[in-house]
Amino acid sequence: MMRNDRGVALLIVLLVTALLTALIFEFAYGTRISLRAAVNFRDSQRAYFLARSGVNFAGALLSDNLKNNKPRDNLEQRDWQLVPVMTGSDTELRVRWEDEGGKINISAVFTGNDASKRLSRLFENPGISISQDLLEKVEEKRNFRLITELHQVLSDEEFGKVKDFVTVSPVSKVNINTASTEVLQSLGPTITASMAGMIIEKRSREPFVHPRDINDFPGMNAITAGMLDVTSNVFKVSSFATVGGYTKQVEAAITRSTSGFSIIYWRAL
């Protein structure tokens, strides 16, 4: 009888040991999963706020240039640039920005208004060649709050041709120092392809500093000159942050002033 009791006790001890071992492993596994989830959430949040800080970095740089009477410095940075001061062993921050003043404002496109005329000439550009019938669909849409809304009336190919030349940001004049050949030609028939090329060649050597420089440019008439400016205060900033294995991208439109900058809109991608 004593031998049988010892066998049962041994089985119970082994069973309890196995159960405890399973519980310990389950607890350890759950702890590791919770810790990993916490680390992932931390890195995700760090990446998000680091990306937002990239917008602040670009806005501060552009507003400081304006404050220091250098309004035409660093108007555009279309290639991704590393921000060293915000980059560490497990983090990386890259930013780029575009001058919205060098584009055509299509926030409101009505039949016969300036936006419609410029968009029509842009569509007629030999390098773009979009059917004028589509302009009627754009005019039916009328108001645009995001450039992506233009994609609703244009095909992927057509939208890809024009998206870099249009904006919905509040710009009234086109910046002659950053506008592309296509945008310059959209201002009117007086700016031909050759004249646009001469403008770009001139500003690559020396930017237009004063509005009178625009008026004095050969072939420029007063009406077209009135549509142009030599600087801009509205920009689209893109910021891309990496923390650990997580990446976040933020896109924002900002307006600068000598006292800082304000955000027109922003979105996390």
Side-chain angles (χ1 to χ4, degrees), residues 71-72 75-76 99-104 118 171-180 183-184 187 199 203 207-208 214 227-235 256:
R72 287 168 296 280
L75 283 180
E76 289 199 308
D99 176 20
E100 295 292 87
K103 303 176 183 180
I104 302 170
R118 294 178 186 182
V171 293
S172 56
K173 293 188 176 184
V174 173
N175 186 354
I176 195 171
N177 285 313
T178 57
S180 64
V183 172
L184 289 172
L187 297 179
I199 291 173
R203 78 189 190 196
F208 292 81
I214 302 175
M227 302 178 185
L228 294 164
D229 203 348
V230 295
T231 189
S232 174
N233 294 319
V234 185
F235 305 88
R256 70 172 177 176

Side-chain angles (χ1 to χ4, degrees), residues 20-32:
L20 289 175
T21 301
L23 288 173
I24 291 171
F25 273 105
E26 182 66 23
F27 177 77
Y29 177 76
T31 301
R32 287 197 302 271

Side-chain angles (χ1 to χ4, degrees), residues 243-260:
V243 176
Y246 279 83
T247 59
K248 292 289 184 180
Q249 184 172 347
V250 170
E251 181 181 279
I254 65 172
T255 301
R256 70 172 177 176
S257 65
T258 54
S259 59

Side-chain angles (χ1 to χ4, degrees), residues 26-41:
E26 182 66 23
F27 177 77
Y29 177 76
T31 301
R32 287 197 302 271
I33 293 297
S34 298
L35 180 60
R36 185 69 262 174
V39 170
N40 290 343
F41 178 76

Side-chain angles (χ1 to χ4, degrees), residues 146-174:
L146 295 172
I147 288 300
T148 50
E149 294 179 28
L150 186 62
H151 205 171
Q152 298 174 7
V153 294
L154 300 179
S155 67
D156 293 345
E157 181 182 358
E158 293 162 343
F159 179 71
K161 291 179 180 179
V162 302
K163 65 181 178 65
D164 294 330
F165 308 126
V166 295
T167 181
V168 294
S169 298
V171 293
S172 56
K173 293 188 176 184
V174 173

